[in-house]
Every structure is written in C-alpha cells, then in structure tokens.
Amino acid sequence: MQVQGESAGRRDGRATKEQRNEMDQKTYRAVFFDLDGTLLPLDMDRFMGGYYLALKGFVAERGHDPKAFADALNAGIYAMAGDHPGVTNCDCFWSVFLERMGSEDAAAWHELLDEFYETDFGEIGSGMPPEPLSAEVVETLHAKGYPVALTTMPMFPIRATQWRLNWGDLDPAWFERITVYDNSTAIKPHPAYFEENLRAFGCRPEEVLMVGNNTKEDLACMKLGMPAYLVTDCLLNPNDFDVETVQHGTIEDFLAFVRTLPECENPASCTAPAVGVVPGAPQVSASVAETAPKLGENAFDEEGVRAMEQAAAGVSGNVTEAGA
C-alpha cells in the first residue's frame, strides 16, 4: 500500500502539484504533534545532557548519593519503556525507582523531584529561541476546527512538559490532550501508545495526522495506518528511514500544507484526561519491579530512549566527581 503523500518526482521533500491536490482533499478529525524537535526546536542530546547534569547536581547538593540515584533513575526509565499494559508510566517509574532507593522514603523523594521540576528544570531551556511558526501552525488548525493533541514522549511529569511548552511560547491550553507519564501506559514507538491516544479521541487511525521529527518514534504510527508528516528542521533518523516515502518538509512547509487543509468536517472530542492520572489504572505489579533492568542492562532495543540511556550512562560514569 502506498503511503499518503509519497514523493515520486520531487527530491526536496515537497509534494508535487498532483500530490498536493490529493492531500488538499484529505480531512482529518484531529492532529497529533510531537513536541521536542517538532514544535520546539530542541537538540535532544544537548537537552538530555543538560537535564541529567542539572538533576544530578540537584540531588548531590541535598546530600544524596548520586551513583545510587543514577542507578535508580535509569532503572525507572527502563521500566517505563518496557511493556506494561494498563499500568501508567508514572507507576512503573516510581515502583522501580523506590525499590532501588527505599520505599520508606517515598514521600521525601516525591517532594524532592517535585521541587526540581518546579525550579531547576526550568533553567535548562532558558534563553532557548522558540520557533514562531509553531504557534501559527496550531492557531491555523484551530481556526479550521481541528482538535490538536500534544503527543510528546510521556516519560516526564506535566510540570516538565509545561516548562518545555513555555520555552517554545506555546500555550498548554491549545492542546486537548498532553501525554505525560501519569496519563499514559506506553511510550513511543510502541503501537500501544498511539492506540491509547486514538481511543482517547474515538478515532480510527486514518482519521488522525501525526506530525513529528523522529522517523522511529513518530513514524511508528504508520504501522497502524495513521498518516504522518515529518518535520525536518531537527530531523532524527535513527533507523535510516527513506524520508522520500512520507510527506515531509520544514515547519514552514508544514504551515503551507496546513493552510491548504479544508475545514474540519467532523472534529473529534477527547474523552480521556487532558493531563493527570488515568482513572482506575492498576498499580504496578511486583514483577515489574523485580524484572526491571539495572543500569547498563540492554533489555530492549528502542531508539526512543537512546538519548536517555546515553545521558544516564554519562551520569553513572561521572558520579565519583559529583559525590566528591
């Protein structure tokens, strides 16, 4: 089956006139956006390095062992990236993290990390220039009646995502749903992540356009039959995907494409929490905590946490200096 928007004659990634005419006739019920590298011009390796450096320093300054913390943090990240149907990423993280650090200190760790995300995390992106066209993209979609969701990697609490939206001059209220670690039970590129968000909007895969910059994380939606647009300003192509086989272009190109879309005839409505805990989600089972890999174990091969793994390994390798 040919992918919608497949480029046959143009090598610059823009649609031919015939393709544009065909896509102009396409109407969607909702549009899903990735954040980092798509709406927010963020260098992921630089961001994750800064994130781990700030978090490591924050913990060490408060008298905690940065080596033990790094091990527990990475184990929690691995747990979120695994397969845990019906269990939120938040529950997976905290169950495994506290199993490493000591469950008797749960309240103190929650308070400490809440403080980090409220204060020091916001400084990581200070001075980062936003992409002004991103706001125009979302505003144009709203004007045409399209519901918009922020389907960013749900491995952070909402406060971290709010900060990143702030760096990009993007208003959280523009999005009917924002995926965070306590309202999601899977991450990209697992099909379950996209299925969960499609259910939240009551849509079939072909009714929702996914917009992202990562060929493995974001374009995994195409396995379900979702159409996609690849934004190339901060392109990540870890699996050597042939970008000519999918509609793609700069954020400026995407804005031009959005302007050609017809009015949304049948807008979807999100029935799941915009943010916050999934109602009735079960607690993580003991087996998840018991089998979660320790730092350095390669229990899965997902490029979606490549930067996190590398950064966590860097933290572990430099904990002696941090704890000195």
Side-chain angles (χ1 to χ4, degrees), residues 51-52 55-56 58-59 64-80 89-114 116-117 181 284-286 288-290 292-294:
Y51 166 67
Y52 272 94
L55 186 53
K56 176 183 68 175
F58 185 86
V59 168
H64 296 285
D65 178 3
K67 171 65 167 64
F69 175 81
D71 286 355
L73 179 70
N74 200 49
I77 289 168
Y78 274 114
M80 287 192 289
N89 298 335
C90 174
D91 283 343
C92 278
F93 173 81
W94 280 105
S95 178
V96 174
F97 176 84
L98 292 173
E99 190 271 336
R100 301 286 194 272
M101 298 302 296
S103 58
E104 67 277 4
D105 298 323
W109 279 113
H110 275 278
E111 182 178 349
L112 187 68
L113 292 188
D114 283 348
F116 170 78
Y117 285 114
Y181 81 157
V284 64
S285 65
V288 174
E290 292 169 359
K294 295 183 174 62

Side-chain angles (χ1 to χ4, degrees), residues 12 35 54 59 91 96 99 124-125 143 162 192 202 210 238 253 263 278 304:
D12 60 3
L35 177 59
V59 168
D91 283 343
V96 174
E99 190 271 336
I124 298 172
Q162 289 171 336
M210 177 68 206
D253 294 328
E263 299 289 322
V278 175

Side-chain angles (χ1 to χ4, degrees), residues 17 25 33 51 60 67 73 99 109 115 123 147 158 165 172 174 190 203 215 230 239 243 261 266 306:
K17 180 178 180 180
Q25 303 306 312
F33 280 97
Y51 166 67
K67 171 65 167 64
L73 179 70
E99 190 271 336
W109 279 113
E115 181 185 353
E123 296 300 315
I158 183 57
L165 285 167
W174 293 347
H190 292 300
C203 289
T215 60
L230 188 66
N239 55 347
V243 298
L261 289 175
N266 183 23
R306 173 181 55 85

Side-chain angles (χ1 to χ4, degrees), residues 8-266:
R10 292 288 297 271
R11 303 303 296 175
D12 60 3
R14 298 173 184 170
T16 64
K17 180 178 180 180
E18 292 77 12
Q19 291 163 351
R20 177 70 72 186
N21 289 339
E22 179 183 349
M23 297 183 77
D24 285 351
Q25 303 306 312
K26 175 67 179 179
T27 182
Y28 306 101
R29 297 189 62 208
V31 179
F32 291 175
F33 280 97
D34 174 57
L35 177 59
D36 304 318
T38 301
L39 293 176
L40 178 66
L42 189 69
D43 182 315
M44 279 305 294
D45 287 338
R46 182 176 180 181
F47 164 67
M48 291 307 302
Y51 166 67
Y52 272 94
L53 184 64
L55 186 53
K56 176 183 68 175
F58 185 86
V59 168
E61 287 172 4
R62 285 154 181 76
H64 296 285
D65 178 3
K67 171 65 167 64
F69 175 81
D71 286 355
L73 179 70
N74 200 49
I77 289 168
Y78 274 114
M80 287 192 289
D83 188 26
H84 45 85
V87 180
T88 65
N89 298 335
C90 174
D91 283 343
C92 278
F93 173 81
W94 280 105
S95 178
V96 174
F97 176 84
L98 292 173
E99 190 271 336
R100 301 286 194 272
M101 298 302 296
S103 58
E104 67 277 4
D105 298 323
W109 279 113
H110 275 278
E111 182 178 349
L112 187 68
L113 292 188
D114 283 348
E115 181 185 353
F116 170 78
Y117 285 114
E118 189 61 42
T119 58
D120 291 37
F121 184 90
E123 296 300 315
I124 298 172
S126 60
M128 178 185 300
E131 171 50 69
L133 294 182
S134 293
E136 189 172 353
V137 162
V138 178
E139 289 169 354
T140 302
L141 285 167
H142 281 168
K144 290 174 178 282
Y146 290 90
V148 176
L150 190 71
T151 48
T152 182
M153 184 68 87
M155 302 181 90
F156 288 102
I158 183 57
R159 194 66 184 101
T161 304
Q162 289 171 336
W163 276 117
R164 283 147 56 219
L165 285 167
N166 184 64
W167 301 340
D169 287 343
L170 301 166
D171 189 341
W174 293 347
F175 304 94
E176 291 203 20
R177 177 170 166 81
I178 298 174
T179 55
V180 289
Y181 81 157
D182 61 352
N183 72 355
S184 302
T185 61
I187 71 164
K188 306 175 195 177
H190 292 300
Y193 171 78
F194 299 101
E195 291 170 343
E196 185 169 55
N197 285 288
L198 288 169
R199 284 196 302 272
F201 281 82
C203 289
R204 299 189 302 271
E206 65 272 17
E207 295 176 324
V208 178
L209 177 67
M210 177 68 206
V211 185
N213 73 306
N214 188 304
T215 60
K216 187 165 187 179
E217 291 180 4
D218 300 316
L219 297 191
C221 70
M222 295 168 64
K223 296 178 181 178
L224 300 178
M226 291 179 66
Y229 193 108
L230 188 66
V231 175
T232 56
D233 300 78
C234 301
L235 177 66
L236 293 176
N237 192 1
N239 55 347
D240 295 322
F241 181 85
D242 182 3
V243 298
E244 297 297 332
T245 62
V246 66
Q247 174 70 2
H248 65 285
T250 65
I251 190 69
E252 184 176 6
D253 294 328
F254 182 67
L255 175 58
F257 166 68
V258 166
R259 287 172 175 160
T260 70
L261 289 175
E263 299 289 322
C264 185
E265 297 177 353
N266 183 23

Side-chain angles (χ1 to χ4, degrees), residues 52 56 66-68 70-71 74 295-296 309-321:
Y52 272 94
K56 176 183 68 175
K67 171 65 167 64
D71 286 355
N74 200 49
L295 189 67
E309 294 176 50
Q310 292 175 346
V315 170
S316 179
N318 293 299
V319 289
T320 302
E321 179 182 349

